[in-house]
Amino acid sequence: MNARTTTLPDSETRTTVTEAKTAGETRPATLAPAATAHGAPRPRRSRRLLSVFALLVIAGSALGGAWFWQVGRFLQSTDNAYVGGDIAVLSSRIEGDVTRILIGDNQPVEAGQPLIELDRRDWQAKRDQAAAALAEAEANIATFAAQRAQAVAQVAAAESQVAQAEADRVFAVTDAGRAGSLASSGFGTREAVDRTTAARHKAEATVAVAQAGLESARGAIPVLDAQAKSALARRDSARAMLALAEANLDYTVIRAPFSGVAGNRAAQLGQHVRAGQNLIAVAPPAGQLYVTANFKETQLRRIREGQPVELTVDAGGRLHGTVQSLAPATGAQFSLLPPENATGNFTKIVQRVPVRIAVDAGQPVDHLRPGLSVEAEVDTRDDPHAPRSVFGVAAAAIHGR
């Protein structure tokens, strides 16, 4: 029979196993406890480790609770936030054919830079026609001015004729009176009386004719003044038509309204476009983008303008921002079909209010694009500059702040 001794490790003790081997079987020997390596029991060390672990858990819980009470409960966050930008979708204001495309997709542009040109020949002809109508209206005004000056001269001539006729009438009346006196005293003839009387009547008729001519000349001036006003109105109308024609001619060139990046080009060379048809869009540069975060109505109680915001962009990077403004109503009120809760069954849904967040300057924002998803976290504490991290809160508590 052969015997073999085997040592088995255990968490607290060691046991020696002796096996006896015979020709046909193996028989385990009696198990005997063995002493530890250093002769001291291990349960005491395990209890110390458990105590240290319990103290760490308690300290961590206290630290976490203090952080939540001083910081965490004031942080309002949402993942319903997106990068926004005032994108200008440019459309044609006139009808025409696309003759030139001066910019490619996704290329930067400057304010006022030409992007697309339309055929300008028809609009050039209309502009020339409007310019000719304005010239004609101005010529009519000059004609009426000359006619009025002529009418004023005619009035002066008529007044002279009236004065001359009045002088002839006075002489004729005096001559007729003198002839009548001579005839009544026997020194004059009846013929002289008749002749001077006829001359007096003729002079009086001449005065009446001269006065009628004067009134006629004077009456022509208001007519000419009215016609001159009509000519002025036609000139103003022609001038407005010329301005409109020049504006339409200028609309044949579609320009960038501000500096940015061109994109979403729908215009094709030779395409016939109509007024109001979208041709190209210009997005603002990254430095002019902002974030719109849709917070729940239950989160708005402490959110105010000017509070700092931590922005986490899904495309990568963390940015700092500032609450710029809150929308005057919930997003549902600005939808195409606002809800009407007074009809039908009512199911209460937590509403969201758009909050506009400005991205602070001096940060790398070249990777931002309108529409990117963002996570926003607003610090609503009274002192947003107070320590925010767990260790910062702990240090402030130690220093009694």
Side-chain angles (χ1 to χ4, degrees), residues 83-109:
V83 177
D86 299 328
I87 300 176
V89 180
L90 307 181
S91 60
S92 174
R93 301 187 64 173
I94 58 174
E95 184 177 356
D97 298 333
V98 177
T99 58
R100 296 179 65 190
I101 298 177
L102 306 174
I103 194 69
D105 291 333
N106 309 325
Q107 290 188 3
V109 297

Side-chain angles (χ1 to χ4, degrees), residues 270-361:
Q271 178 184 3
H272 183 79
V273 298
R274 299 186 180 278
Q277 183 174 345
N278 295 338
L279 301 180
I280 197 171
V282 176
Q288 298 180 6
L289 299 180
Y290 54 87
V291 173
T292 300
N294 301 304
F295 285 94
K296 297 179 182 178
E297 55 186 314
T298 54
Q299 297 177 292
L300 296 177
R301 185 173 62 89
R302 295 182 60 88
I303 294 180
R304 300 290 184 272
E305 296 181 5
Q307 293 175 337
V309 185
E310 292 289 335
L311 303 172
T312 303
V313 185
D314 289 3
R318 295 177 65 88
L319 302 173
H320 300 283
T322 304
V323 175
Q324 191 174 23
S325 62
L326 282 75
T330 63
Q333 295 298 317
F334 293 112
S335 63
L336 181 61
L337 298 174
E340 179 51 66
N341 296 328
T343 60
N345 296 328
F346 170 70
T347 301
K348 185 175 181 179
I349 300 175
V350 178
Q351 300 296 315
R352 291 183 179 266
V353 176
V355 177
R356 181 160 177 165
I357 300 171
V359 180
D360 295 343

Side-chain angles (χ1 to χ4, degrees), residues 70-71 74 302 307 379-388:
Q70 298 186 23
V71 179
F74 296 101
R302 295 182 60 88
Q307 293 175 337
D379 190 346
T380 64
R381 292 179 296 173
D382 295 333
D383 184 11
H385 302 291
R388 184 170 177 175

